Amino acid sequence: MLRVKSFEPLLRPFAAVLRPLALASLVANVALIVTGAAVRLTDSGLGCPTWPKCTDESYTTTAAMGVHGVIEFGNRLLTFVLVGLAVACFLGALARPRRRSLVRLSVAVGLGIPMQGVVGGITVLTHLNPWVVGLHFLLSVALITAAFAFWRRIGEGDDAPVALVPGPLRSLAALTALASLAVVAVGVIVTGSGPHSGDRGAKRNGLDPAAISQVHADLVFLLIGLSVALWFALRAVPAPPAAARAALVLVVVELAQGLVGFVQYFTHLPVALVAAHMLGAGLVWTATLAVLWSLRSRPVVPAASSAVAARSQAPEPVAAA
């Protein structure tokens, strides 16, 4: 483990607010989906026509680029906010020398953000190729997963997780999570076939929007069915109340997201509803992660017990001759 004792006074302030910092990082990564939606839905995807610069001569937007340049450049600036939060979380994790898992998770989030920026640059350089744009969104989902894990692990120990529900219920939850991920992934493909390309000249993926939307809707019905079944099952067995509440929240979020999805489809994809639907995708996945987390526990080892255990494992001092 890194030696941080000499830096402990500098790290202590970050450790004191580590949980709020982790929550801010999670919220900011969900917000990145919304700002990305704003770029796409305002046809500002090529507001900065190159990368890493905004123009061939400038790293920032210029007056000649108008509002599209401002929107695209503003989305790029959010990356620096995410990096700042990730660095603060890493410093706070370093201040907890017995929590190696926290350091690893903070590093995963920190490395994922510049990777997300690079993929975003590739989307610009490929003139908003719909498959690359979809990868850009899915990487946000991966970052949300890592940020959520970091946030929840702060209040847990590093021992092996203990299951709180029977095996069949854990399998049902895993199947629900797979269905949730499939809904998000196919939703990305639906977006790539639709009219909101991010720029008037950007190509689409060539799939039939009606057909792929039907596949997406079928998966949504499957997900809601699995989630409702999981909620009833958690209420029928001696499961922690928090698990049933998390499953209920997931069902409510899914129903709201499904309602927005159907309304936007039958009203010909108005910009405001599409943006709300993209935010909903991030919230559905976050609620799914909350359900998975509620089904297991990692016991927290008190600091005093850790110190006693460390002393008991230390070698006995050798008496001087």
Side-chain angles (χ1 to χ4, degrees), residues 38-264:
V39 172
R40 173 190 288 264
L41 297 172
T42 58
D43 290 331
S44 302
L46 296 178
C48 288
T50 187
W51 186 87
K53 291 184 176 182
C54 194
T55 70
D56 290 333
E57 294 79 23
S58 174
Y59 282 96
T60 63
T61 185
T62 63
M65 300 171 69
V67 66
H68 295 306
V70 173
I71 294 173
E72 164 63 6
F73 184 68
N75 187 55
R76 294 187 183 190
L77 286 179
L78 183 58
T79 299
F80 294 98
V81 176
L82 294 173
V83 168
L85 288 170
V87 170
C89 288
F90 172 71
L91 294 176
L94 278 182
R96 302 190 177 192
R98 293 187 179 87
R99 299 302 311 278
R100 290 185 175 91
S101 62
L102 287 182
V103 175
R104 288 194 293 267
L105 283 169
S106 67
V107 169
V109 175
L111 293 180
I113 293 167
M115 185 184 302
Q116 174 77 305
V118 170
V119 174
I122 294 173
T123 65
V124 173
L125 298 177
T126 58
H127 302 287
L128 307 183
N129 179 289
W131 299 106
V132 181
V133 173
L135 176 62
H136 195 39
F137 183 91
L138 292 177
L139 188 51
S140 284
V141 173
L143 275 170
I144 289 171
T145 304
F148 183 91
F150 180 77
W151 174 55
R152 292 296 297 265
R153 288 299 305 277
I154 290 173
E156 298 179 336
D158 273 340
D159 291 344
V162 176
L164 302 177
V165 297
L169 277 186
R170 298 199 302 275
S171 299
L172 177 58
L175 184 60
T176 303
L178 286 175
S180 180
L181 186 59
V183 166
V184 173
V186 175
V188 170
I189 299 175
V190 172
T191 303
S193 69
H196 297 297
S197 63
D199 184 80
R200 299 182 188 279
K203 294 181 179 180
R204 305 283 70 210
N205 59 26
L207 299 176
D208 178 42
I212 195 64
S213 294
Q214 184 61 57
V215 173
H216 182 60
D218 292 342
L219 286 171
V220 169
F221 285 125
L222 173 63
L223 173 60
I224 293 175
L226 289 171
S227 301
V228 170
L230 180 61
W231 176 53
F232 277 114
L234 288 171
R235 288 171 55 86
V237 301
R245 285 196 301 270
L248 178 59
V249 169
L250 176 60
V251 172
V252 171
V253 173
E254 289 169 353
L255 291 175
Q257 172 74 335
L259 177 62
V260 172
F262 278 109
V263 172
Q264 72 162 4

Side-chain angles (χ1 to χ4, degrees), residues 269-283:
L269 304 176
V271 168
L273 287 182
V274 174
H277 199 55
M278 292 183 71
L279 171 61
L283 296 179

